[in-house]
Amino acid sequence: MVVAVLGSFIGSFMLCLTYYEGSLFRRSQCDSCHAELSWYELMPLVSFIIQNGRCRRCGNRIPVYIFLTELLFFVLFFLFISESSSALYAACISFLVPLAIYDIYHFKVPDHMLLLFAGVLLMICFPLLLDSRHLISSGMLIMLLHLFYLLTGSIGYGDIKLLSLFALFLPLTYFLLIFMLTYFIGGMTVICFLFYKHNLRKIPLIPFITASTLLVFKFYDELYTIYFGGFL
């Protein structure tokens, strides 16, 4: 439970950092009146409920996605981090979930978050970069991703940059499983959407990458057996 509560604090901060690059160097503010928030207005989940989803000063509504992000972090840290001490799990949840929410609303990926994510992954996965075979395979994957982007244009370049980070800092089997699941889940979702919205032109891909990453982390052994262990 302590880990889950900590996760909700991390989620609130990471979402703020995703939207406002300069939030590292200033106090939190209301999006509407820009008044600085007190510590008791920054308690994840609790402050939103007590304040009835509104700013105490101007009375404007606090975006509900902030509350949902804090709740999602609470649940994910409870389910994932409490079962493992892996820093990689915590880093991926901390960056991918806010990026997914931002992508849903804005259809783009902030470069400053990708740079921070790359720095964190470098610290966690540095030993993997000492393997020459991994560097060769990841280099080929990154070239293929960029070639796919240039030839088809069916995917945003922010998605390509995120997948390139995964190709460089994750083992090959992890990357392949995430990539396959991303397009499987995304394809099934698009098919469902087309039943209700026939003029669908653009969908955010980061939410599907995030969901696939969490599934691979949670069920890696089972997925590995199915796709690489000869079961299929």
Side-chain angles (χ1 to χ4, degrees):
M1 188 59 66
V2 172
V3 172
V5 172
L6 176 62
S8 64
F9 277 94
I10 294 175
S12 179
F13 172 74
M14 293 300 292
L15 184 65
C16 181
L17 183 60
T18 304
Y19 271 82
Y20 307 105
E21 183 177 355
S23 58
L24 278 173
F25 309 103
R26 65 169 177 81
R27 293 189 59 179
S28 298
Q29 299 176 348
C30 171
D31 292 337
S32 301
C33 64
H34 304 292
E36 291 188 353
L37 302 179
S38 303
W39 66 268
Y40 50 83
E41 297 174 284
L42 297 173
M43 301 293 290
L45 303 175
V46 177
S47 295
F48 186 93
I49 295 173
I50 292 177
Q51 296 171 201
N52 198 26
R54 294 182 180 274
C55 174
R56 293 176 62 252
R57 293 169 178 81
C58 64
N60 286 328
R61 287 194 173 277
I62 302 172
V64 69
Y65 64 79
I66 296 177
F67 176 82
L68 294 178
T69 301
E70 295 169 352
L71 180 60
L72 186 58
F73 264 82
F74 182 91
V75 173
L76 290 176
F77 267 65
F78 182 80
L79 293 177
F80 284 82
I81 311 304
S82 59
E83 296 180 0
S84 172
S85 59
S86 172
L88 182 60
Y89 284 24
C92 286
I93 292 174
S94 299
F95 280 91
L96 290 179
V97 173
L99 287 176
I101 293 172
Y102 191 91
D103 194 28
I104 290 173
Y105 283 90
H106 304 284
F107 291 100
K108 61 181 180 180
V109 184
D111 286 333
H112 71 278
M113 291 299 288
L114 291 178
L115 288 173
L116 287 173
F117 194 23
V120 172
L121 289 177
L122 177 61
M123 291 188 291
I124 296 173
C125 305
F126 180 76
L128 190 63
L129 302 181
L130 301 179
D131 186 346
S132 58
R133 290 180 298 178
H134 171 76
L135 289 177
I136 293 172
S137 62
S138 63
M140 294 178 62
L141 286 172
I142 291 172
M143 286 191 292
L144 288 174
L145 287 170
H146 282 76
L147 185 63
F148 176 74
Y149 169 76
L150 293 173
L151 293 178
T152 66
S154 60
I155 183 174
Y157 192 58
D159 305 320
I160 292 294
K161 288 186 284 188
L162 178 59
L163 289 172
S164 296
L165 288 181
F166 281 177
L168 181 60
F169 292 111
L170 295 183
L172 177 61
T173 52
Y174 273 80
F175 172 82
L176 293 177
L177 286 172
I178 290 171
F179 188 83
M180 288 187 294
L181 279 178
T182 294
Y183 278 90
F184 175 77
I185 297 173
M188 296 300 295
T189 304
V190 169
I191 292 174
C192 294
F193 281 167
L194 288 175
F195 283 108
Y196 304 98
K197 189 176 182 180
H198 298 288
N199 60 342
L200 188 65
R201 296 182 179 180
K202 183 188 292 188
I203 60 168
L205 191 63
I206 302 298
F208 303 123
I209 296 176
T210 301
S212 301
T213 303
L214 296 180
L215 287 173
V216 169
F217 281 162
K218 187 70 173 178
F219 304 107
Y220 174 76
D221 291 335
E222 292 82 355
L223 291 169
Y224 182 90
T225 301
I226 292 172
Y227 285 100
F228 303 113
F231 183 75
L232 291 179

